[in-house]
Amino acid sequence: MEEQEMSKFVTQQAYIDGKIKALSKMIPQLKIIHKDAESLVTTINHISESSEKISGKIRELDTAREKVEECQKRVSDLIDLELCSQGVQKAIYDEDYEQGAALVHRFLSIDQSVVKQTASDFEKVAGLEDAAQKNLQTALNTPAGDKRYPVIYADTLTLLYEGVARMVNVHQPLIETYYGPGKLIAAMNILQKECDNQTRRIVSEFCKTRNMNKKMSQINEISRMSSSSSFSKLEKTDPKDLDVLIGEMTLMHSKIELYIKFVRSKVMTDLDVGISDLDERSKNVDKLEQLIKNSQVSQSKHELLGYYLRMEQYYMEESITKAVNLDTAEQGQHTSSMVDDTFFIIRKCIRRSISSGSLDGICAIINNACRVLESDFCNILRSKLKQGYPSGYLDLTQAYNVLQSSIQQGRLQPGDTEVARTAFVVALNNADSCTYYVEALCDRVMLEIEQAMPAMKENDRGKLESCLSGLSSVTATLKDVIEYGLQQLRASAIKPRVHPWIDSFMNINHEMTEDELSAYDAGETFVQTLIMNLESLLVPFKEVLTPSNYDSLVGVVTNEVISRFEKIVFKTTFNRLGGLVLDKEVRSLAGYLTTSTSWSLRDKFARLTQIATVLNLEKVSEISDYWGDHDGALMWRLTPSELRNVMALRLVLERAPNIKFIRVCI
Amino acid sequence: MDDYKFLFKVVLVGNAGVGKTCLVRRFTQGLFPPGQGATIGVDFMIKTVEVEGEKVKLQIWDTAGQERFRSITQSYYRSAHALILVYDISCQPTFDCLPDWLREIEEYASSKVLRILVGNKIDRDDREIPTHVGEDFAARHNMYFLETSAKEADNVEKLFMQIAEDLMEQARSKDLPRYDTSTANIDSRTSTIGDSSCCSKLI
Ligand SMILES: Nc1nc2c(ncn2[C@@H]2O[C@H](COP(=O)(O)OP(=O)(O)O)[C@@H](O)[C@H]2O)c(=O)[nH]1
Ligand SMILES: [Mg+2]
């Protein structure tokens, strides 16, 4: 037993000898330091006594004295160590192995504790606490006019974390030397406590100085009031006043986030190098995650994020309300200022959330943006469209005359009708341009987030994409709003005008002779009048609507024209020439409307065109050229019974003996 | 292939420690996680199930119960199709907080959201809330009710499947709020959330 121990001990001898030699070399220096320290203590004690009257500086001196005393202790430890090592040497020489073993044991235990102390209070040695206190004091004393004042707490956090980072970087090699790699986490544990304390202090000072409690309760109060809809009377905080504070909060949050990232990557690297056993390593990784999760730094981070999100939400809602209230439409612009302004605000808020570095924060702001756009904003647009489009004077020339006389009389003041019309048109355009803004927003945001967080985890990406897909329902709601507006327009401006124009078709005899036909062609035909009227209806809108809205309007007009036309055709009887006229007129109408838009409307005309084709048949039997499943057959949009009804309109056909054949054939 | 006909968002809320995360893990991964610490902010998981031969994708949002995460978690209520409100049958305070949670739901969620009350941890023998008390509460507030154990996998599958079936029926009868139908439609046209492409495809 003892023998075994001894042989182990002897094999260690070379190592111990080496250490002892190294230590021996230090002895003279240590002795000097020891003496110096002693005399320093006396001096300081003396100064300390006399300076008590002066006061003020006392704490600093006390700290200095403490430091010196600490230093003294360390030195005496080292001397103890030296004595110990000398003893070992002697014991070995004397072959007193028992004594030697005891001394070695003592040596090792001292060695441990000294090294451990070095690690444990390295933050104090390097003055972390003092430095942090001083920085916080500086922050507190920064005058409000100072350039850094608006972000002074973010600056203070930066200084703190930079200090910690520096310390970690400096001490990491020492820890690695004394303890081996993979032990940084133990040191980090100790260091984190001090960092936690300082962070808590800084954040709580921030809350105090920046009146966070008061602001938060004010905001909560306002949102409570506004949901009970008596908000207009309440004195509100101008969102602009929160701008700077929100900026500081995101900056603080991002500093904490950065620090946590630093700790994680430092420790992980150390673990990767130091611990090869996978189980052991993952245990340590868990330890690290727990350390981070349970740290005050994380708590403070969540606290700040919570404040930030509340405030940002308030900022977004209030700024958009303001933008809506200050809405102005510039002459010659399709949209009004509220669209630009609203999306500017939303982009700004989302950007700010990105700068906070928190994915949950970004997602929450995107969710809020979706809510504000989809409910509040779309409701505003919808309520503007609900006012309707006043039809006023139906005839353009009449309107023109009124305008002319207004100009002549020097009152170019647009009347109420014009104001209401403009408001309607602008709202419709706003809804349309919002759909593009939403799309662009979605693309941009994704891009910016990818740049800001290049190493996003798959799950986080899923989260983000799910939140961004909320914007697609904003688009859907906007499309509904546009549709609603178009229906309003149809009811008040299109239907009442288009119907009489089409109905005049009935005033024309469509069982005409050759003479009547040439007389008809010589005059202003039905379709010429109709196209002119449609033109007068559409042209004013072409200038004021967005291209896409204008296309939709032409679509609505076309539907209205076609469905009315069909009805009227069924109330008319035709002979061959009448059918010929109809066929020609339908073609030119289709041609006109199709060229009015960027989409093809020909398909909408399919039924009407087919009706005209049938009425324009020379002989009944020709229908078999078009009906059936041979090559020349048409894709019929009319049902067989509709087709029979159409043919019944052709007097000649009806009288034709072949009508029975046709019945069979169809 | 990750194609699906319907996509529904399910959000779990309730005090910290009642077992929301365990319920989600049990359902999505089939396990009862050992000591995984409190949820931070929100967690996001997906499971595709089959209802009447149709693929239904459930997007499950597991929220943190603590007050300080409220401004994050609240932002998810509005787009939820179903909200699961969880309490711990062996912990009276978690039941006492239910009215507060309901107030939050009223304030932030769609009025048509499917609401389910869940009493979890029925495997425990120190029950404090009798089943009928939970049932009464749910009935009074127009919610479904179910008691579960994430630990023993009791009723967990049933809970989520019931939700999927109900939501699908709603979707089929077009009874979903505007917001929801559009999302479901649009999502089912595109490939999937979670694939690497950007959101623009979702628009
Ligand atoms: N006995 C029992 N314990 C459970 C059950 N579900 C969760 N727990 C425990 O309750 C604690 C909190 O669970 P967790 O899912 O994190 O709760 P959360 O905060 O609501 O997400 C953990 O210690 C779980 O092990 C259950 O069904 N039975
Ligand atoms: Mg949880």
Side-chain angles (χ1 to χ4, degrees):
Chain A
M1 250 313 272
E2 212 171 293
E3 213 143 295
Q4 222 174 21
E5 227 176 85
M6 269 337 286
S7 75
K8 210 170 88 193
F9 173 54
V10 170
T11 55
Q12 283 187 333
Q13 193 181 333
Y15 166 72
I16 292 168
D17 275 358
K19 277 253 169 176
I20 287 168
K21 260 196 205 111
L23 282 166
S24 305
K25 275 192 201 130
M26 285 169 66
I27 300 289
Q29 276 167 307
L30 286 173
K31 278 188 179 144
I32 293 166
I33 293 172
H34 189 58
K35 263 222 186 78
D36 283 354
E38 255 170 5
S39 76
L40 191 58
V41 171
T42 342
T43 320
I44 285 169
N45 276 340
H46 179 67
I47 294 169
S48 169
E49 263 163 40
S50 58
S51 65
E52 243 162 86
K53 286 160 211 135
I54 313 164
S55 86
K57 295 274 174 192
I58 217 114
R59 215 183 88 76
E60 266 170 56
L61 285 167
D62 275 346
T63 322
R65 188 172 58 184
E66 265 164 42
K67 285 242 166 75
V68 172
E69 270 165 5
E70 228 171 77
C71 177
Q72 216 180 353
K73 186 167 170 297
R74 193 77 47 93
V75 167
S76 67
D77 274 346
L78 288 170
I79 288 168
D80 191 12
L81 202 65
E82 203 269 338
L83 289 175
C84 195
S85 67
Q86 277 176 353
V88 175
Q89 256 176 338
K90 187 169 175 297
I92 292 169
Y93 190 74
D94 292 343
E95 297 191 4
D96 183 357
Y97 292 123
E98 218 165 289
Q99 170 73 7
L103 285 169
V104 166
H105 184 76
R106 187 159 164 223
F107 166 78
L108 288 175
S109 73
I110 292 170
D111 190 35
Q112 280 282 327
S113 73
V114 169
V115 173
K116 217 173 215 159
Q117 180 155 24
T118 309
S120 86
D121 60 16
F122 72 80
E123 78 269 33
K124 282 198 191 113
V125 173
L128 177 71
E129 192 183 347
D130 289 352
Q133 284 299 302
K134 221 160 69 203
N135 291 334
L136 184 56
Q137 207 52 49
T138 314
L140 287 170
N141 294 339
T142 306
D146 193 279
K147 206 167 83 233
R148 298 305 294 178
Y149 179 79
V151 289
I152 198 71
Y153 289 98
D155 280 358
T156 312
L157 280 179
T158 308
L159 288 174
L160 171 66
Y161 298 141
E162 275 174 3
V164 176
R166 217 175 300 120
M167 212 171 298
V168 171
N169 286 334
V170 167
H171 285 82
Q172 191 183 12
L174 293 179
I175 292 164
E176 212 172 299
T177 312
Y178 284 113
Y179 288 94
K183 292 280 186 268
L184 183 60
I185 186 163
M188 213 53 234
N189 232 326
I190 298 158
L191 190 54
Q192 186 55 46
K193 283 198 192 86
E194 191 52 39
C195 188
D196 276 349
N197 286 337
Q198 298 306 330
T199 303
R200 186 196 300 121
R201 228 171 261 177
I202 293 169
V203 172
S204 94
E205 278 304 332
F206 160 80
C207 289
K208 213 159 53 191
T209 321
R210 304 290 199 224
N211 273 326
M212 288 304 285
N213 278 340
K214 193 170 152 231
K215 283 182 179 124
M216 292 313 293
S217 58
Q218 215 170 9
I219 284 171
N220 290 336
E221 188 72 11
I222 289 168
S223 44
R224 229 195 342 272
M225 296 299 249
S226 64
S227 61
S228 66
S229 83
S230 60
F231 60 100
S232 49
K233 308 226 165 35
L234 210 76
E235 196 54 46
K236 288 183 190 176
T237 316
D238 187 340
K240 264 216 147 55
D241 294 346
L242 295 177
D243 227 6
V244 172
L245 181 57
I246 293 175
E248 187 179 33
M249 282 191 282
T250 55
L251 202 56
M252 287 172 79
H253 187 279
S254 75
K255 294 301 173 196
I256 298 182
E257 197 80 76
L258 216 61
Y259 166 73
I260 290 174
K261 235 178 235 161
F262 168 80
V263 170
R264 188 176 276 128
S265 90
K266 270 284 167 194
V267 174
M268 287 298 262
T269 313
D270 184 57
L271 290 177
D272 280 349
V273 174
I275 302 177
S276 49
D277 183 63
L278 285 181
D279 262 7
E280 186 62 24
R281 195 192 295 170
S282 90
K283 245 184 241 158
N284 274 284
V285 171
D286 284 350
K287 242 192 248 165
L288 168 68
E289 290 308 324
Q290 286 304 314
L291 170 68
I292 292 172
K293 206 169 179 176
N294 298 328
S295 67
Q296 178 63 41
V297 165
S298 292
Q299 303 269 319
S300 296
K301 185 180 83 149
H302 300 144
E303 192 186 349
L304 276 171
L305 186 64
Y307 286 148
Y308 159 69
L309 290 173
R310 271 267 172 282
M311 232 173 240
E312 189 76 287
Q313 187 181 338
Y314 175 83
Y315 178 89
M316 193 194 289
E317 285 169 9
E318 287 304 315
S319 307
I320 290 175
T321 307
K322 224 165 98 178
V324 169
N325 290 338
L326 296 176
D327 190 34
T328 48
E330 297 245 343
Q331 195 85 45
Q333 295 279 310
H334 285 149
T335 57
S336 63
S337 63
M338 69 183 238
V339 176
D340 247 8
D341 292 352
T342 296
F343 280 88
F344 176 82
I345 292 158
I346 285 175
R347 287 243 359 231
K348 176 174 172 173
C349 294
I350 294 180
R351 276 230 179 103
R352 219 156 29 188
S353 73
I354 295 173
S355 78
S356 78
S358 157
L359 189 86
D360 271 346
I362 299 171
C363 286
I365 293 298
I366 292 173
N367 290 343
N368 286 338
C370 289
R371 180 180 53 72
V372 172
L373 283 175
E374 204 183 334
S375 331
D376 305 358
F377 195 75
C378 282
N379 283 344
I380 286 163
L381 292 175
R382 203 185 285 272
S383 71
K384 292 198 171 175
L385 293 172
K386 201 172 174 185
Q387 312 288 318
Y389 183 84
S391 31
Y393 9 80
L394 295 183
D395 193 273
L396 189 75
T397 46
Q398 208 184 326
Y400 179 78
N401 289 339
V402 171
L403 190 64
Q404 285 302 308
S405 63
S406 301
I407 291 168
Q408 277 156 19
Q409 288 162 27
R411 46 180 183 87
L412 199 57
Q413 215 71 355
D416 287 349
T417 314
E418 266 95 336
V419 171
R421 282 180 179 181
T422 306
F424 182 93
V425 162
V426 165
L428 195 62
N429 288 337
N430 283 348
D432 179 45
S433 73
C434 279
T435 63
Y436 300 101
Y437 272 104
V438 168
E439 209 167 317
L441 180 72
C442 194
D443 291 348
R444 286 277 180 77
V445 164
M446 195 65 195
L447 212 70
E448 279 169 26
I449 294 172
E450 263 166 358
Q451 275 166 3
M453 308 179 150
M456 217 186 320
K457 279 182 269 168
E458 198 52 36
N459 194 263
D460 284 347
R461 182 181 288 278
K463 231 187 207 179
L464 183 64
E465 280 174 359
S466 171
C467 291
L468 278 172
S469 78
L471 285 169
S472 68
S473 57
V474 175
T475 306
T477 308
L478 285 167
K479 295 247 154 90
D480 282 356
V481 169
I482 295 171
E483 185 53 34
Y484 173 75
L486 288 170
Q487 288 312 318
Q488 289 280 75
L489 210 50
R490 189 184 76 88
S492 62
I494 298 168
K495 206 170 141 186
R497 303 181 69 182
V498 165
H499 283 200
W501 296 339
I502 305 281
D503 292 357
S504 71
F505 185 78
M506 288 193 294
N507 303 337
I508 298 157
N509 176 18
H510 283 88
E511 297 167 69
M512 34 174 83
T513 61
E514 293 279 357
D515 283 353
E516 281 168 333
L517 176 62
S518 26
Y520 177 74
D521 278 345
E524 193 178 275
T525 63
F526 162 80
V527 81
Q528 282 169 340
T529 314
L530 178 60
I531 288 174
M532 203 189 72
N533 283 331
L534 289 174
E535 185 79 358
S536 76
L537 170 71
L538 289 174
V539 160
F541 284 112
K542 190 172 180 122
E543 283 163 19
V544 295
L545 286 177
T546 59
S548 149
N549 273 343
Y550 179 71
D551 282 349
S552 307
L553 176 73
V554 175
V556 170
V557 168
T558 305
N559 286 340
E560 203 57 37
V561 166
I562 288 168
S563 70
R564 189 70 185 176
F565 207 165
E566 243 186 62
K567 256 190 213 133
I568 296 301
V569 165
F570 277 105
K571 289 182 183 167
T572 315
T573 49
F574 299 84
N575 65 3
R576 169 69 217 288
L577 290 182
L580 184 77
V581 166
L582 176 70
D583 195 46
K584 247 170 53 191
E585 297 198 322
V586 167
R587 276 171 214 281
S588 57
L589 183 61
Y592 164 71
L593 284 170
T594 299
T595 53
S596 303
T597 73
S598 51
W599 330 317
S600 172
L601 294 170
R602 289 236 178 245
D603 200 52
K604 286 185 194 281
F605 276 92
R607 277 171 61 85
L608 199 55
T609 308
Q610 288 177 355
I611 291 171
T613 305
V614 174
L615 292 173
N616 188 25
L617 288 180
E618 187 123 27
K619 287 206 293 281
V620 182
S621 56
E622 281 175 28
I623 190 71
S624 54
D625 292 348
Y626 301 105
W627 191 272
D629 46 6
H630 51 84
D631 281 352
L634 285 178
M635 276 278 300
W636 285 91
R637 299 295 180 86
L638 301 170
T639 65
S641 82
E642 279 173 333
L643 184 54
R644 272 195 295 273
N645 291 342
V646 172
M647 291 202 297
L649 301 174
R650 262 290 291 276
L651 293 173
V652 182
L653 284 179
E654 200 170 37
R655 278 183 234 113
N658 274 349
I659 192 95
K660 279 212 180 72
F661 159 74
I662 295 156
R663 291 234 161 99
V664 175
C665 166
I666 293 170
Chain B
M1 264 311 287
D2 194 14
D3 59 328
Y4 51 90
K5 191 79 173 268
F6 297 96
L7 181 138
F8 299 123
K9 292 190 186 176
V10 180
V11 177
L12 286 96
V13 297
N15 281 21
V18 296
K20 298 180 293 296
T21 303
C22 289
L23 284 167
V24 174
R25 295 287 202 91
R26 169 60 77 191
F27 177 64
T28 56
Q29 300 169 336
L31 51 83
F32 184 70
Q36 87 285 350
T39 309
I40 304 282
V42 282
D43 262 346
F44 166 82
M45 291 204 207
I46 285 177
K47 180 157 170 163
T48 306
V49 296
E50 209 161 290
V51 181
E52 297 164 31
E54 299 279 20
K55 285 227 170 99
V56 176
K57 185 162 167 174
L58 293 178
Q59 221 179 58
I60 304 169
W61 297 86
D62 172 25
T63 65
Q66 293 100 330
E67 182 64 36
R68 66 174 185 281
F69 297 113
R70 220 39 68 78
S71 41
I72 294 174
T73 57
Q74 279 164 354
S75 77
Y76 288 89
Y77 285 44
R78 193 186 64 102
S79 59
H81 297 96
L83 272 167
I84 304 177
L85 176 51
V86 188
Y87 66 94
D88 174 352
I89 57 117
S90 66
C91 180
Q92 182 74 42
T94 67
F95 186 81
D96 296 340
C97 281
L98 294 182
D100 296 336
W101 287 106
L102 278 182
R103 230 179 330 251
E104 275 219 14
I105 293 172
E106 291 300 330
E107 188 173 350
Y108 297 101
S110 147
S111 57
K112 287 191 178 173
V113 71
L114 185 66
R115 299 182 305 175
I116 305 98
L117 182 65
V118 167
N120 187 37
K121 306 197 189 179
I122 49 171
D123 57 282
R124 291 181 62 129
D125 44 24
D126 53 348
R127 181 191 275 271
E128 288 183 3
I129 318 291
T131 305
H132 71 89
V133 173
E135 248 166 17
D136 284 354
F137 186 92
R140 256 202 323 272
H141 295 95
N142 207 10
M143 306 169 88
Y144 281 126
F145 180 70
L146 205 62
E147 282 192 337
T148 59
S149 164
K151 192 174 175 193
E152 303 296 332
D154 254 357
N155 276 343
V156 178
E157 189 79 10
K158 185 174 165 191
L159 167 67
F160 287 98
M161 288 310 287
Q162 188 83 52
I163 289 171
E165 283 164 26
D166 244 79
L167 288 175
M168 200 165 103
E169 201 174 305
Q170 266 189 47
R172 283 203 164 134
S173 62
K174 299 272 180 233
D175 197 26
L176 282 179
R178 222 330 316 115
Y179 178 86
D180 310 318
T181 19
S182 63
T183 322
N185 288 343
I186 280 156
D187 283 344
S188 59
R189 254 200 282 117
T190 58
S191 55
T192 163
I193 279 167
D195 83 8
S196 59
S197 65
C198 154
C199 62
S200 60
K201 273 176 77 182
L202 296 170
I203 289 236

